[in-house]
């Protein structure tokens, strides 16, 4: 299992350009996510400049996925009812050509969500975002992490992420101390962030939503995922310096996202 650090660098100017375009266009982002993080995710999207829509009814998700700029499907607190809506949304996004992101929360730990995540991959997501254990599980390497937490380092999942990207045609983003984003050919390392990001519920889940937003303005899914990851890393680093604990970190993180400018890059 490769732990080699990727050598390719990503120009900061392209990230700045993507963030500026996102704020100018405020892409409509359709979010189907878990009940723990819905409010937080909407606030994060507003902070970066996107327009969130938390449409979850099976009767509506297909229609909405077809008009949204990007879609996130997060299986964090999935129920049987939710799974039906997720299938409808994924199918509609694929049919309409709407780029979408899957976040396979705790894949490998529980069979129902793991099987669902693998089924959703058939609808050709643009990006698969998860922690190392989740990506390793989808890649068939290991069984999964400790609930929603990873038991592996992000660097340990690089090889599995590249293989998964080649097999699915999706960009795979592995979150961790350093994020790694790959299309199977190129792999980009995105350092930064802060340890408190793992202590605030929903930070990782909201990253998937921000990736969906960037997909609404950036047709290259590798670039969209890298830009979103970099924005989070920079905001997280700054919030870590501002915060006294997890509560103030959450507020500082939203502030940092809102105030992020070219100078921060």
């Amino acid at each position: 299992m490769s732990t080699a650090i990727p050598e390719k660098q990503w120009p900061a100017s392209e990230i700045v350009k993507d963030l500026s375009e996102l704020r100018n266009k405020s892409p409509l982002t359709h979010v189907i996510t878990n009940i723990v993080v819905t409010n937080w995710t909407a606030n994060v999207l507003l902070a970066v400049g996107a327009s969130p829509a938390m449409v979850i009814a099976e009767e509506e998700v297909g229609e909405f996925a077809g008009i949204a700029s990007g879609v996130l499907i997060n299986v964090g607190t999935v129920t049987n009812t939710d799974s039906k809506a997720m299938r409808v949304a994924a199918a509609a996004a694929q049919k309409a050509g709407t780029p979408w992101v899957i976040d396979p929360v705790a894949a490998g730990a529980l069979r129902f969500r793991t099987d669902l995540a693998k089924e959703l991959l058939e609808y050709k997501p643009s990006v698969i975002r998860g922690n190392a254990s989740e990506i390793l599980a989808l890649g068939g390497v290991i069984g999964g992490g400790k609930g929603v937490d990873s038991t592996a380092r992000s660097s340990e999942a690089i090889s599995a992420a590249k293989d998964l990207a080649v097999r699915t045609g999706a960009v795979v983003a592995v979150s961790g101390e350093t994020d790694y984003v790959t299309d199977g050919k190129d792999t980009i390392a995105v350092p930064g962030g802060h340890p408190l990001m793992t202590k605030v519920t929903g930070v990782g889940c909201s990253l998937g939503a921000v990736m969906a937003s960037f997909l609404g303005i950036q047709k290259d899914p590798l670039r969209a995922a890298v830009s979103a990851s970099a924005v989070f890393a920079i905001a997280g680093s700054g919030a870590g310096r501002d915060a006294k604990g997890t509560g103030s970190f959450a507020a500082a993180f939203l502030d940092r996202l809102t105030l992020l400018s070219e100078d921060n890059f």
Side-chain angles (χ1 to χ4, degrees), residues 24-200:
N24 287 334
K25 294 185 177 180
S26 191
L28 180 62
T29 308
H30 181 189
V31 177
I32 302 174
T33 193
N34 68 76
I35 59 175
V36 181
V37 306
T38 302
N39 180 70
W40 169 263
T41 302
N43 284 333
V44 165
L45 289 174
L46 290 169
V48 297
S51 178
M54 324 310 266
V55 178
I56 60 173
E58 181 183 350
E59 297 82 359
E60 295 181 332
V61 292
E63 179 181 0
F64 203 83
I67 63 174
S69 299
V71 178
L72 167 70
I73 298 178
N74 174 304
V75 304
T77 55
V78 65
T79 66
N80 187 54
T81 299
D82 296 333
S83 70
K84 295 175 183 178
M86 291 174 182
R87 292 183 183 96
V88 171
Q94 182 186 30
K95 182 178 180 179
T98 304
W100 70 281
V101 178
I102 182 171
D103 191 332
V105 177
L110 296 166
R111 179 172 295 179
F112 176 67
R113 69 182 56 239
T114 303
D115 290 345
L116 174 62
K118 290 180 178 179
E119 180 183 343
L120 290 173
L121 294 182
E122 298 176 7
Y123 296 103
K124 300 299 181 182
S126 303
V127 177
I128 303 167
R129 190 222 73 86
N131 63 36
S133 290
E134 292 158 356
I135 298 304
L136 288 166
L138 284 188
V141 179
I142 63 172
K146 184 180 67 177
V148 299
D149 298 323
S150 180
T151 55
R153 298 175 64 88
S154 55
S155 59
E156 296 178 86
I158 294 174
S159 179
K162 292 173 69 174
D163 290 343
L164 185 60
V166 171
R167 176 162 58 86
T168 62
V171 165
V172 179
V174 189
S175 298
E177 184 175 351
T178 296
D179 290 354
Y180 296 99
V181 185
T182 183
D183 59 2
K185 179 182 178 181
D186 294 322
T187 303
I188 313 300
V190 184
H194 192 275
L196 282 176
M197 295 174 79
T198 65
K199 303 298 182 183
V200 175

Side-chain angles (χ1 to χ4, degrees), residues 207-253:
L207 174 56
V210 173
M211 287 181 179
S213 293
F214 273 97
L215 284 168
I217 58 92
Q218 175 50 250
K219 300 309 178 184
D220 177 0
L222 181 67
R223 177 167 165 173
V226 169
S227 290
S229 297
V231 164
F232 260 52
I234 293 168
S237 296
R241 294 191 295 270
D242 299 338
K244 297 180 179 178
T246 55
S248 55
F249 178 85
F253 184 69

